[in-house]
Amino acid sequence: MDSQLHGIEAADAARYGEHAAIRDFYSLEARLLDDNLLTDWLGLLHENVAYLVPNRTFKPLVEDDFSVASGVMVDDHDSVAAKVARYETLHAWSEDPPSMTRRFVTNVEIGVDPVSETPPGRAWTARTNVLVYHARRDQQPALISAGRRDVLVDGGNGLRVWRRLVHLDHNTLPVQDLAIFL
Amino acid sequence: MDSQLHGIEAADAARYGEHAAIRDFYSLEARLLDDNLLTDWLGLLHENVAYLVPNRTFKPLVEDDFSVASGVMVDDHDSVAAKVARYETLHAWSEDPPSMTRRFVTNVEIGVDPVSETPPGRAWTARTNVLVYHARRDQQPALISAGRRDVLVDGGNGLRVWRRLVHLDHNTLPVQDLAIFL
Amino acid sequence: MDSQLHGIEAADAARYGEHAAIRDFYSLEARLLDDNLLTDWLGLLHENVAYLVPNRTFKPLVEDDFSVASGVMVDDHDSVAAKVARYETLHAWSEDPPSMTRRFVTNVEIGVDPVSETPPGRAWTARTNVLVYHARRDQQPALISAGRRDVLVDGGNGLRVWRRLVHLDHNTLPVQDLAIFL
Amino acid sequence: MTTVHPGTRTGGLDALLSRVRESLADGFLPLQVFNDADVYDAELERVFGRSWVFLAHETEIPNPGDYVLRRIGEDPFIVSRGNDGQIRAFFNSCRHRGTQVCRYEKGNSNSFRCPFHGWTYNNLGNLTGVPSRAQAYPQMDLADWSLHQAPKVDTYHGLVFACLDPEAVPLSEYIGDMGWYLDTNLLAHPDGLEVIGEPLRWNIEANWKLGAETFCGDSYHLQHLHRSVFEVGLVPQFRGKAETRRGLDVHVSECSGHATVIIRGPEEARIFWGSPDELKAQYRQGELSDAQFSLARRSIFQVGTVFPNFSFMHTSTAFSVGGVAGSYFIIRQWQPKGPNRVEAWNWTLVPRGLSEEAKQIAHRAALSQVGPSGNFEAEDSVVWEGITRVAGSAFARRIGAKLHYAMGLDDGSAQVMEDFEGPGTVYDTRLEDGVQRTLYRRWLQEISRGDGTAV
Amino acid sequence: MTTVHPGTRTGGLDALLSRVRESLADGFLPLQVFNDADVYDAELERVFGRSWVFLAHETEIPNPGDYVLRRIGEDPFIVSRGNDGQIRAFFNSCRHRGTQVCRYEKGNSNSFRCPFHGWTYNNLGNLTGVPSRAQAYPQMDLADWSLHQAPKVDTYHGLVFACLDPEAVPLSEYIGDMGWYLDTNLLAHPDGLEVIGEPLRWNIEANWKLGAETFCGDSYHLQHLHRSVFEVGLVPQFRGKAETRRGLDVHVSECSGHATVIIRGPEEARIFWGSPDELKAQYRQGELSDAQFSLARRSIFQVGTVFPNFSFMHTSTAFSVGGVAGSYFIIRQWQPKGPNRVEAWNWTLVPRGLSEEAKQIAHRAALSQVGPSGNFEAEDSVVWEGITRVAGSAFARRIGAKLHYAMGLDDGSAQVMEDFEGPGTVYDTRLEDGVQRTLYRRWLQEISRGDGTAV
Amino acid sequence: MTTVHPGTRTGGLDALLSRVRESLADGFLPLQVFNDADVYDAELERVFGRSWVFLAHETEIPNPGDYVLRRIGEDPFIVSRGNDGQIRAFFNSCRHRGTQVCRYEKGNSNSFRCPFHGWTYNNLGNLTGVPSRAQAYPQMDLADWSLHQAPKVDTYHGLVFACLDPEAVPLSEYIGDMGWYLDTNLLAHPDGLEVIGEPLRWNIEANWKLGAETFCGDSYHLQHLHRSVFEVGLVPQFRGKAETRRGLDVHVSECSGHATVIIRGPEEARIFWGSPDELKAQYRQGELSDAQFSLARRSIFQVGTVFPNFSFMHTSTAFSVGGVAGSYFIIRQWQPKGPNRVEAWNWTLVPRGLSEEAKQIAHRAALSQVGPSGNFEAEDSVVWEGITRVAGSAFARRIGAKLHYAMGLDDGSAQVMEDFEGPGTVYDTRLEDGVQRTLYRRWLQEISRGDGTAV
Ligand code: FES
Ligand code: FES
Ligand code: FES
Ligand SMILES: [Fe+3]
Ligand SMILES: [Fe+3]
Ligand SMILES: [Fe+3]
């Protein structure tokens, strides 16, 4: 087996370098969230981030299933920051002790989606699948399954999430809070 | 830490380029299936594909546990195409609305298995682990866990699945249908 | 989109070559364990390995939650070897027939942690997330979720695990045995 | 990974209900009622089987043929606006062999065709098509095989309710005095309210009554449980300790079995639940009495529960510190899913005809505080789950552990405001539990009514 | 994530069974029987504890020492061919402390050694080895400690059945008139049938009776539920609307409590369930009567259920459009796993001695249509799951919701074919429900028989 | 994915207990007791609700304010050492509305503040803080609203137990004769024992009694079930077949309802459970009698169970072949979680003041053999799970399947050692089941005691 793939598009090293950087970014992001370093994680969001988790309802026309208007989470940087700030008080009892979470990020794909809108600088679109294992001390553990569609931008000293759209594989959330971020 | 691994075999860039192309192929495949684009997915199968999901029975000699003869799925391109065609009618009620599925593809390994038989052109063997989250509207969600052993071939404009062998981690299937592909 | 990421640190090809070698190592390790090739897997452990799975207890100071002193597994090469030797007798009934396990290894990150202690030669620190699907013949399947922090060293003909610290996302183990390794 | 929760012991359900009756008279409630299989079964039969239960807001199904899939207790109903414009609630089960005839959660259709054998019902519930009928059922009278439907369906200013008990009182009588307080919310805007999108749904491993109880007006928990929210500064309007606001804050209990809490500004204030100025200017007295409109005008915050599982909240919040506030009326339904499990359903409503941007701000405001990822919500649900777990304990049963709902019964604490304009027993303080006792008195009354079915 | 499904109410099981009795007389059946804990418990005791239940095909355990692990109801049995050649069914539980003595699902062994303390049983079930016996149990008579076994095990042309009731009628009498129809399938090929590999197993969140009922012959659902399969063109032999084939298609009901449906070609046709020509040429009358062999010759398709949970289907299908067809006889067993859960087990059988390639084609043909990923199967199971969910509803219990099994009872619809050669009550059309009523009449009879155990 | 396990049939719990009574007299036990919902409910009420149940070791909470979260049966208790130095067990449920007041599993605190409304209890259980009390509860007497607590808490040489029955005998009387044997383990080292870290916890899908039974002394299973461990050579001290060691190995049964097994070396041996020499040298007679200290000196291995769910083991093992051995006393508790589920909790204890390194060796030695990944443990739990599954079978109930606990009842097998120095009925061999019958006799006695609660 020689060392090149003929006829397979986009196998160039540069593209895989990008892929590696983006994959590492997602590992970093997941780690900060799982380790409950929310303020550090907040630093990975672009100041103009749109963080959207649409509501899912089964309708005859499948394209309408996901409603952003009545989304589960419709956040910008400041509203995410407010949530983070609340957790960082000493009085968010529900997360004291914190939930155990573990994010399994797979299927990182770059460039599937076109870049819509006008990003602030160089940008990459990325899709990922994420499976979140979530458990509290004496609660039944739950799994949250989702696909994510992001636009990442170059933040000078690393990537930033500029757009995030999370498609949940749940019409009813299996846990009582998405206090955790996806 | 300098920039090379001494004494670690097969660390050459070319091999990782192949790995990247194959990993991207699996992400693409999973995405088409999860997005219910079955006809597009069908295009990723080689016309002479053998798609095998053996039946698993616990026997004293472990090598006999997997029976292809009485397999859960024993398909070729045309029989897969027939299933896809059925889903694409407007009358496959069980998938209207479609199940929510999400495939988490991990542990992509290339070249573990030798290429047996004679593939139609350049070929790569690949192993993957796949965890499928599967849920219907008001059904309990299920997890399907499996390891896959594929032979991929160069289809001119991208890779094709020429052989697929799926080892299920189930002796009894947790869902009532493998109408979804693995 | 041109072919380089500006301003994203550590995107150099060499680093990703290491990443690829280490990711392949984890795939290999998972495969040997899932295929029940325990003696082969033992060969991936450094002779001075420290294999630690701390016990988890929710306490007010979160840093104390993980106790190595009263760990779930506190093993060195010889104690792991003893366990493996026991499984390789013909009289370990609980694993005859063997459990079905599947390890989904994701979020491979290199160099997050500094190398502490003095490793025997070149070393890399790596973090991974691992989700283990575990089932016996007629038992309810269980999921084990964990994060791993390893120090890998160059063993001449491949990598070796020199330090492993497994942070379980469980205070009570969901299965009756960690006879399987994580 | 499942614990089967055992039912009542020590004499069975009737003995437990006797203990509830005795306790409640003194302001106490046995902990056991929050996690008991027999109690739950009786609730499905006697509470959800006989009460008026909320199904949808009319604006979810504005057009003929529109439908949504909803539940009464645990049972699935299609809420359909027929081609005749009338709303009905069909049991989602084919009369032939029981198959679910509607597979979507929302849609528009002239008919429901069963996937199994193709029997077809129009959106009035009538069986209109039977394959091979001439040979298969030559004598069948289609009229005998309409979809089962809830015997009573009615609306209250846009809120669609159904009742499975054909002998039940009419909806208006059921809502009764609570209407006075609902109307201030539902009628103050001349355009009425409309729903944004579809309800959000999430799972809580808790008994359904705990949510209903908290929304009856557990004012006492705000300052402690939700301290983190106030600390961050997200709810500036909640200033002033409860103690200092006697008569401004009111607890409305025993309001035809329902209850609500209102936080008011001073006499002349124009607050309208904290609406932005533009919205404030739109409120009109319309059909409301002077007292009602005055209440709307002064209202900072209102929360309440219509028995058994319809709750609502009306207020304004920001979603970032110092950011713009959105004004919303949310409906929260506590859908029972077992003795120790509930699904929370949440609708955001806003005045009809608001701009898309204003709607979005309102939804975001609601979502950030009381949605499944809301700053308030997470705290409540974790507490409820813990209560539910201990409620199932053998020790709690053995010692007959009772909870404390007696705030306001001490001399010199809560005072009834005899001069308050609205109906119900109105206390002059948020420091009282009468609003929650209202829920349990009503609950006890319903669950104690035998219905010929032995539970 | 679990709902505990409550048991019967309104007077308990006996009252429900009375309602079943009344309903069934008119062709109706209470929906509740498909999801009720008390009904299920009674089924385990009275139906599965007293009926002849299928275990295996003889060709799965052809040699002395061969065994497979199977279930009767929910209980695990080792089906073992002893070194004496006889088949027995041992309860998989050590007589010492109850440990499962057999850990494999299939194998060959002279003995079963218990992992806990090493007691060893030979493949006739006798206790043959007890560690330290001389000191531990000096007076033990090993003969007292054989493995428990099913009191009755017998075979019917290769099909192995067992019965846990020592008072039960013999297997041949139990199968009774249904033997006439089974024989056409089992005996027409001179080599007999053999199993391919091991049974496939999959989980369905539905009541076990729904599968058994559909295989009794729910002919009516084919054209609608499975429309997508016909549209794609995978089953060309199913032409002709049911209405136009009176007398060619027959429904055999009340056949000793069992039922079957046969789709036939014209008088002189040589079809043999659509076998390829080569296979057709091999069929022989052998032990069959003229009428039986004629039926085999004309059969396009047959499906049936032997009470309670043994179903079968005999036909040919392709697995790709226009592709080669495979002919198969499948056995489907509905293994109960709770009021709302069933495991489907599926064996593919083919004439013994067929080439490996022909077997593989047959298996693929069966698998593609009626296996767990089959084009037909997915539709059925999703429907059954939906029925099971609504069957557990409080509303269905409250209104006593009844399902419709009355097709064929109208005047002028299904006619009994008095001149049909085979036994049972044979209708001249697929448009009738007598085959399914047969199942529920038999079920009612069994579940109503008290046995001294209070359920 | 859950099976609801049905309760007793055939006359209910009392009839089953009668069958247990009859069987046990002959050395047998109905299999059904290991997976039955009614039995389990009765156990929670009558066994765990009335017995002295282990909670913690004193060294887990050495200082004022220390607490750990533990369970009695399924119910959560805070085991707190108050600022007054006294240990109490508080029901983890706020007196106001039931919320769990302690969210950590281990900590140190002066007080427990409830997250819901902020009621605060000191570590003596007294309510000390009530927000807005002056206005909310002007007449409240705080003394009426202390945390509920276990009516009895006591310690036995460092072991903390509680009892929920206020009428129960004192702990010392409850332990009774078993104290003679516990003391040899707990008092032989002059520094006493201390816990290493926190208990390990793992889930087993088995009935809780199976673990307790095995630790009563199922000596018979060692050589077969654990054969792989011996083969690898990890436990060199277990040489000598049980048959050849009469009188060295002893089974102590009927020891105030508890039981233990001791494997001894010869008369003059200095073994001290296989301790390394350095540790051996530290053991002292202290408060022990000559006979007790002699037993400690000669002990190779001891295992036992204090009714109902406190087990222990004292021995030494290596964790690698030929490697260093660690000596440990482990406590194993079988926490019931349902009829077919148990949580195993495991504490490693070592003489206080041992070096950190020696402690770590001891913990590793314990962990490698009897922890959740231990070489022994995996085998036991898989066997117990299998027994539990068949115990729930309808067939086992129908035939009244009984297990064999009659070893030693045959003439000429086990002999009572009349001259043994310690109390209880002491047999001269490991080949007898009296130690396990002790457990079930005591269990039968407790579960048969009605308590006015109808189960
Ligand atoms: S079940 Fe609806 S048409 Fe038959
Ligand atoms: S349980 Fe089988 S030998 Fe003891
Ligand atoms: S529940 Fe504890 S303070 Fe209210
Ligand atoms: Fe709240
Ligand atoms: Fe079908
Ligand atoms: Fe053991």
Side-chain angles (χ1 to χ4, degrees), chain D residues 172-230:
Chain D
S172 57
E173 188 178 329
Y174 183 91
I175 289 187
D177 286 344
M178 188 69 167
W180 198 90
Y181 297 97
L182 283 174
D183 292 354
T184 61
N185 293 281
L186 300 173
L187 301 180
H189 197 282
D191 300 340
L193 300 177
E194 72 176 0
V195 163
I196 298 178
E198 291 85 33
L200 294 168
R201 295 168 278 175
W202 64 98
N203 185 58
I204 307 175
E205 303 284 321
N207 188 267
W208 68 272
K209 295 188 289 297
L210 291 165
E213 164 194 321
T214 300
F215 273 67
C216 274
D218 188 314
S219 306
Y220 189 47
H221 82 291
L222 284 175
Q223 294 300 326
H224 193 262
L225 184 66
H226 298 304
R227 178 171 164 183
S228 58
V229 191
F230 298 102

Side-chain angles (χ1 to χ4, degrees), chain D residues 64-284:
Chain D
D66 285 347
Y67 65 85
V68 287
L69 212 52
R70 295 291 149 88
R71 292 207 299 262
I72 299 176
E74 293 207 48
D75 303 344
F77 284 82
I78 311 165
V79 183
S80 160
R81 187 183 289 276
N83 283 345
D84 61 354
Q86 200 185 317
I87 298 174
R88 294 172 184 82
F90 305 122
F91 187 50
N92 189 11
S93 178
C94 183
R95 292 295 306 277
H96 181 226
R97 295 286 165 82
T99 303
Q100 298 187 17
V101 295
C102 177
R103 300 187 303 281
Y104 300 110
E105 294 175 337
K106 185 171 187 175
N108 180 288
S109 184
N110 285 317
S111 62
F112 302 98
R113 177 174 299 175
C114 178
F116 202 174
H117 310 86
W119 285 22
T120 303
Y121 306 85
N122 67 12
N123 60 21
L124 285 65
N126 302 318
L127 180 63
T128 55
V130 174
S132 305
R133 181 176 155 212
Q135 304 240 356
Y137 309 106
Q139 296 168 328
M140 171 182 266
D141 183 352
L142 295 188
D144 293 341
W145 297 96
S146 301
L147 286 172
H148 291 300
Q149 56 180 290
K152 300 198 165 209
V153 175
D154 203 351
T155 63
Y156 188 86
H157 300 321
L159 307 172
V160 183
F161 288 83
C163 183
L164 297 181
D165 180 1
E167 310 298 321
V169 299
L171 175 60
S172 57
E173 188 178 329
Y174 183 91
I175 289 187
D177 286 344
M178 188 69 167
W180 198 90
Y181 297 97
L182 283 174
D183 292 354
T184 61
N185 293 281
L186 300 173
L187 301 180
H189 197 282
D191 300 340
L193 300 177
E194 72 176 0
V195 163
I196 298 178
E198 291 85 33
L200 294 168
R201 295 168 278 175
W202 64 98
N203 185 58
I204 307 175
E205 303 284 321
N207 188 267
W208 68 272
K209 295 188 289 297
L210 291 165
E213 164 194 321
T214 300
F215 273 67
C216 274
D218 188 314
S219 306
Y220 189 47
H221 82 291
L222 284 175
Q223 294 300 326
H224 193 262
L225 184 66
H226 298 304
R227 178 171 164 183
S228 58
V229 191
F230 298 102
E231 256 177 49
V232 168
L234 284 164
V235 199
Q237 72 268 38
F238 278 145
R239 301 220 189 82
K241 300 197 72 168
E243 287 90 327
T244 66
R245 298 182 44 84
R246 283 192 97 119
L248 285 177
D249 303 348
V250 296
H251 267 204
V252 180
S253 65
E254 296 302 339
C255 197
S256 302
H258 318 299
T260 186
V261 166
I262 306 166
I263 298 184
R264 300 186 294 174
E267 191 70 52
E268 297 307 317
R270 285 184 59 79
I271 301 173
F272 291 108
W273 310 281
S275 299
D277 289 343
E278 189 194 331
L279 183 54
K280 271 183 200 164
Q282 299 173 15
Y283 286 107
R284 293 287 177 268

Side-chain angles (χ1 to χ4, degrees), chain C residues 113-174:
Chain C
D113 304 295
V115 177
S116 56
E117 306 173 278
T118 306
R122 299 195 54 233
W124 296 261
T125 67
R127 292 220 192 173
T128 45
N129 286 350
V130 61
L131 185 70
V132 187
Y133 180 92
H134 178 278
R136 279 206 176 76
R137 180 175 60 76
D138 54 357
Q139 206 179 21
Q140 300 274 19
L143 288 176
I144 302 166
S145 173
R148 300 187 299 193
R149 302 174 187 206
D150 293 348
V151 183
L152 305 179
V153 297
D154 185 346
N157 58 347
L159 293 164
R160 297 288 181 278
V161 180
W162 182 64
R163 292 289 176 266
R164 172 157 292 173
L165 180 64
V166 181
H167 277 185
L168 292 169
D169 301 318
H170 308 274
N171 54 349
T172 301
L173 292 168

Side-chain angles (χ1 to χ4, degrees), chain F residues 246-251 264 414-422 424-429:
Chain F
R246 284 192 96 120
L248 285 177
D249 302 348
V250 296
H251 267 203
R264 299 186 295 174
Q415 301 298 329
V416 174
M417 295 172 74
E418 301 292 357
D419 60 341
F420 193 82
E421 301 90 341
T425 304
V426 182
Y427 291 98
D428 66 342
T429 174

Side-chain angles (χ1 to χ4, degrees), chain E residues 93-99 101 113-121 131, chain F residues 218 220-221 224 383 387:
Chain E
S93 177
C94 182
R95 292 297 305 278
H96 180 226
R97 295 286 164 81
T99 302
V101 296
R113 178 174 301 176
C114 178
F116 203 174
H117 310 86
W119 286 23
T120 303
Y121 305 85
Chain F
D218 188 315
Y220 189 48
H221 83 291
H224 192 263
V383 161
I387 295 169

